Amino acid sequence: MDYKSEVEAIDALSASYHTIRKEISKIIVGQDDVVKSVLISIFSNGHCLLVGVPGLAKTLLVQTVANVLDLSFNRIQFTPDLMPSDIIGSEILGDDRNFKFIKGPVFSNIILADEINRTPPKTQAALLEAMQEKCVTAAGVTHALPNPFFVLATQNPIEQEGTYPLPEAQLDRFMFNVFLDYPSFEEEVNIVKNTTGNKVADLKRILTAQQIAYFQQLIRKMPVADQVLEYAVKMVAKTRPNSHYSTEAVNKYLSWGAGPRASQYLVIGAKCHAAISGKYSPDIEDVQAVAKPVLRHRIVRNYKAEAEGINTEKIISDLF
């Protein structure tokens, strides 16, 4: 990208972000915080888990983001009989009697892992290497995935029959855990109005894969003050029961706290939140803005918290 300085590049990122939001709003009504979190995770080179009841446009949101960002997109419907080879691909015997690798749907810029908790752990684990290493291994051969590469997974929180909870190791691979709530009355009126007529939105493609990769590196280069970095690390340390920094509520209601990856994502997320807001360095408010989606799936409540109805949102809010 031909920018005279990093300051000018951050201004361009902020402008692009607002243009992207405007385009997405042609299809997605409301859900502003959700759209913001998804875009922050993409620019931060992280993965995002979307949790919400059916019908809240989780799949449509991911498809719309892929279209606006001019990225290749594949949707994988996770089912109990899905096999790892259905995700990463497999080797077949060709006409020349040699084995050749046929790429699976994971070879795309954006992967929508729909209802990821509906498949057994063996198949869920097939995504682990892809999410962490940005490559897959089949028959001893490693294949690189496209750059950029994101997994945006969806999960239904209310229908637990026939589901397999995501292992903690896999949950930790997701930068954000984002909750989708019902739209307001006015938003639902607009949704019904837009989707029951013959109106077709014309989406513009705002950024290319090359530009996204550039902005990802730009965010990594952003300076962060020591006190902001230490604030992020201390916030994560507070979630660990019986540690030096833990609070009374954490000791009482948590059985497990967040690991170092949470600190990393807090800082990267704060940098991206600052950049899209037109700031050239993150502050404590930027850390707080991304704290809930970063921490809510990394802390484990104990039985006392469940019995007293203490949710993770309240525990995280107390850390501020």
Side-chain angles (χ1 to χ4, degrees):
M1 306 298 104
D2 189 19
Y3 297 112
K4 294 178 181 178
S5 66
E6 291 181 0
V7 168
E8 186 178 316
I10 290 173
D11 290 339
L13 169 58
S14 179
S16 297
Y17 165 77
H18 290 291
T19 306
I20 291 167
R21 288 289 297 266
K22 187 176 178 181
E23 287 300 306
I24 291 175
S25 66
K26 293 180 180 178
I27 303 290
I28 305 297
V29 177
Q31 305 289 13
D32 291 338
D33 290 339
V34 176
V35 174
K36 187 176 188 178
S37 293
V38 169
L39 292 176
I40 287 177
S41 69
I42 287 175
F43 286 123
S44 301
N45 200 13
H47 308 289
C48 192
L49 178 63
L50 304 174
V51 180
V53 298
L56 295 183
K58 298 186 293 293
T59 305
L60 181 61
L61 168 61
V62 178
Q63 289 176 325
T64 305
V65 169
N67 288 335
V68 172
L69 296 181
D70 197 16
L71 298 174
S72 58
F73 166 79
N74 272 329
R75 176 179 180 269
I76 305 173
Q77 179 63 53
F78 280 69
T79 55
D81 59 348
L82 193 74
M83 298 297 290
S85 58
D86 296 327
I87 297 173
I88 65 175
S90 59
E91 288 201 328
I92 65 168
L93 190 63
D95 296 334
D96 57 357
R97 294 187 178 275
N98 289 320
F99 283 98
K100 61 179 180 178
F101 180 67
I102 302 299
K103 293 180 177 179
V106 77
F107 286 86
S108 192
N109 293 125
I110 292 185
I111 302 300
L112 171 59
D114 218 354
E115 294 189 295
I116 192 172
N117 58 332
R118 287 212 164 275
T119 200
K122 179 182 178 181
T123 307
Q124 291 174 1
L127 272 182
L128 272 176
E129 183 186 15
M131 293 171 67
Q132 186 65 27
E133 309 296 338
K134 306 296 174 75
C135 62
V136 297
T137 303
V141 180
T142 300
H143 305 270
L145 293 169
N147 184 36
F149 174 77
F150 314 105
V151 173
L152 300 175
T154 69
Q155 187 172 313
N156 179 355
I158 59 173
E159 191 178 2
Q160 298 304 324
E161 187 176 343
T163 62
Y164 303 83
L166 285 172
E168 298 300 325
Q170 178 131 7
L171 274 176
D172 201 40
R173 260 58 175 194
F174 288 100
M175 177 180 182
F176 282 164
N177 180 359
V178 180
F179 285 170
L180 285 83
D181 205 353
Y182 292 109
S184 67
F185 181 81
E186 292 77 13
E187 288 171 345
E188 193 161 350
V189 168
N190 286 331
I191 290 169
V192 174
K193 192 180 295 183
N194 293 344
T195 55
T196 55
N198 58 359
K199 179 183 174 183
V200 179
D202 181 26
L203 291 177
K204 297 176 184 175
R205 299 187 184 275
I206 307 302
L207 293 177
T208 64
Q210 183 183 7
Q211 289 172 310
I212 293 169
Y214 172 83
F215 286 136
Q216 287 174 344
Q217 291 302 314
L218 176 71
I219 287 166
R220 289 263 171 183
K221 293 178 185 176
M222 281 183 71
V224 54
D226 287 344
Q227 66 264 29
V228 175
L229 191 144
E230 289 171 7
Y231 177 83
V233 175
K234 190 176 290 186
M235 180 179 284
V236 173
K238 284 181 179 180
T239 68
R240 298 164 188 163
N242 303 313
S243 69
H244 177 67
Y245 294 104
S246 60
T247 63
E248 184 180 344
V250 165
N251 292 335
K252 187 177 180 181
Y253 294 121
L254 293 187
S255 58
W256 204 256
R261 193 178 276 125
S263 301
Q264 295 169 336
Y265 281 143
L266 269 182
V267 173
I268 291 289
K271 285 184 177 185
C272 187
H273 189 273
I276 63 176
S277 304
K279 296 188 286 189
Y280 306 117
S281 180
D283 52 31
I284 287 174
E285 285 72 22
D286 294 306
V287 176
Q288 293 175 345
V290 299
K292 285 186 179 180
V294 167
L295 294 175
R296 64 164 58 106
H297 58 301
R298 291 184 165 89
I299 59 178
V300 181
R301 293 181 301 158
N302 57 24
Y303 290 116
K304 188 175 183 64
E306 293 181 18
E308 295 184 16
I310 304 296
N311 59 26
T312 55
E313 306 295 302
K314 176 169 180 12
I315 295 171
I316 296 170
S317 295
D318 290 345
L319 298 177
F320 295 167

